[in-house]
Amino acid sequence: MAQVEPIKAFNDNYIWAICNTHSPETWVVDPGQSQPVIEFLTTQNRPLSGILITHHHWDHTDGVAELLLQFPDIPVYGPKDSKFTGITHALSPDDTLTIADITFKIVHTPGHTLDHICYVNEQLAFTGDTLFSGGCGRLFEGTAEQMWHSLQSLLKLPDSCQIYCTHEYTLANLAFAHAVEPNNKFLEKHISWCQQQRGQDLPTLPTNMGIERQINPFLRAEHETILDHLPKNFQGPTDTTWQKFANLRLWKDNF
Ligand SMILES: [Zn+2]
């Protein structure tokens, strides 16, 4: 058994701590900063057992070197062929990894970056900057078609699967989602809940796949009415579902 705790970093990042409930074993996902992690470990009286990286961006990796000064020899898992050079244990697509009594499958999800991987199983998934609540990562390195296929592999997860992404972008994402689907009642209810959470300085995360299937326009690109409110200047080809997704992504980039 493990418990997952958010550690706040920068303005809107969460470094997720995976704490084994039967032992002091503790892992962190995407430590862009070291100091908040050190403070968490000190408060909880836990050592750091290892690090998981989803992709090479600095706000997911900049804390690694300092954490290693304090905890030398711990493994740093991350994607193979990453621009981040601090990975000690490179993971390939479909590898499995067991930490803190949890076994993850490694899913390669290019789109936001080309190296991006997610750590998933039926109960929980660490999706980095690929899948956000109500949104998905910007396409910095990959294509819209790649990102669409990456999101499709995450859509195979069951409704109850808890989604831990790296950023608290939810309210901004849902404002866009509401522009896309102004008549989505489930979305309206979820926006109210998220506003309450943020009003109390609480995370809107984790989310789960059941919620995301209802509210996240980027997972709903194949719904018949999804492009009904698309502004004219973002209208591109819509022959395939990934092209519909590409229209939504371009609209969001300019929202
Ligand atoms: Zn990123």
Side-chain angles (χ1 to χ4, degrees):
M1 278 283 289
Q3 202 168 327
V4 182
E5 301 280 350
I7 303 172
K8 285 187 188 178
F10 305 111
N11 282 333
D12 48 23
N13 283 46
Y14 295 120
I15 299 166
W16 296 106
I18 307 169
C19 306
N20 192 325
T21 45
H22 301 300
S23 79
E25 183 183 6
T26 309
W27 293 69
V28 290
V29 183
D30 286 350
Q33 283 182 308
S34 60
Q35 201 49 41
V37 175
I38 303 280
E39 279 164 24
F40 174 85
L41 296 168
T42 307
T43 310
Q44 303 279 323
N45 195 23
R46 283 174 167 273
L48 187 61
S49 312
I51 295 170
L52 306 183
I53 299 293
T54 61
H55 67 293
H56 67 82
H57 281 159
W58 65 271
D59 63 319
H60 297 246
T61 54
D62 265 10
V64 170
E66 272 182 40
L67 290 172
L68 288 177
L69 288 180
Q70 201 140 338
F71 302 96
D73 306 325
I74 59 168
V76 181
Y77 285 92
K80 66 164 191 171
D81 303 327
S82 179
K83 288 181 196 165
F84 175 57
T85 54
I87 289 162
T88 61
H89 292 62
L91 296 165
S92 300
D94 298 326
D95 277 357
T96 56
L97 171 68
T98 301
I99 58 148
D101 294 340
I102 312 173
T103 299
F104 292 103
K105 188 179 133 186
I106 306 306
V107 179
H108 185 214
T109 55
H112 175 68
T113 61
L114 291 176
D115 66 340
H116 204 298
I117 57 172
C118 296
Y119 299 79
V120 316
N121 65 39
E122 303 254 300
Q123 285 79 42
L124 73 171
F126 293 95
T127 60
D129 286 356
T130 293
L131 175 63
F132 296 130
S133 183
C136 71
R138 277 176 187 264
L139 305 176
F140 286 120
E141 295 175 6
T143 64
E145 187 173 8
Q146 277 176 320
M147 186 57 133
W148 172 247
H149 288 299
S150 295
L151 294 173
Q152 291 306 295
S153 34
L154 297 178
L155 267 170
K156 290 177 190 148
L157 295 168
D159 282 354
S160 57
C161 181
Q162 304 280 300
I163 305 296
Y164 295 88
C165 53
T166 306
H167 291 281
E168 181 60 68
Y169 289 162
T170 313
L171 282 179
N173 286 338
L174 295 183
F176 174 72
H178 191 255
V180 178
E181 293 190 283
N183 302 316
N184 182 335
K185 292 280 173 262
F186 193 97
L187 174 61
E188 253 167 46
K189 265 174 72 180
H190 193 64
I191 289 174
S192 303
W193 179 80
C194 291
Q195 282 168 339
Q196 274 178 26
Q197 290 292 105
R198 296 309 295 144
Q200 299 168 64
D201 201 25
L202 294 171
T204 61
L205 303 167
T207 179
N208 69 42
M209 278 311 294
I211 293 171
E212 293 308 308
R213 269 188 254 278
Q214 297 289 334
I215 64 159
N216 192 323
F218 297 103
L219 300 179
R220 296 166 61 78
E222 57 206 330
H223 283 243
E224 215 175 300
T225 57
I226 201 74
L227 296 181
D228 280 4
H229 299 274
L230 180 73
K232 281 215 162 39
N233 38 333
F234 305 124
Q235 288 174 0
T238 54
D239 304 328
T240 62
T241 312
W242 76 258
Q243 287 172 323
K244 293 181 186 173
F245 165 81
N247 290 346
L248 289 172
R249 187 59 258 179
L250 184 65
W251 181 10
K252 173 68 163 67
D253 289 344
N254 295 280
F255 188 72

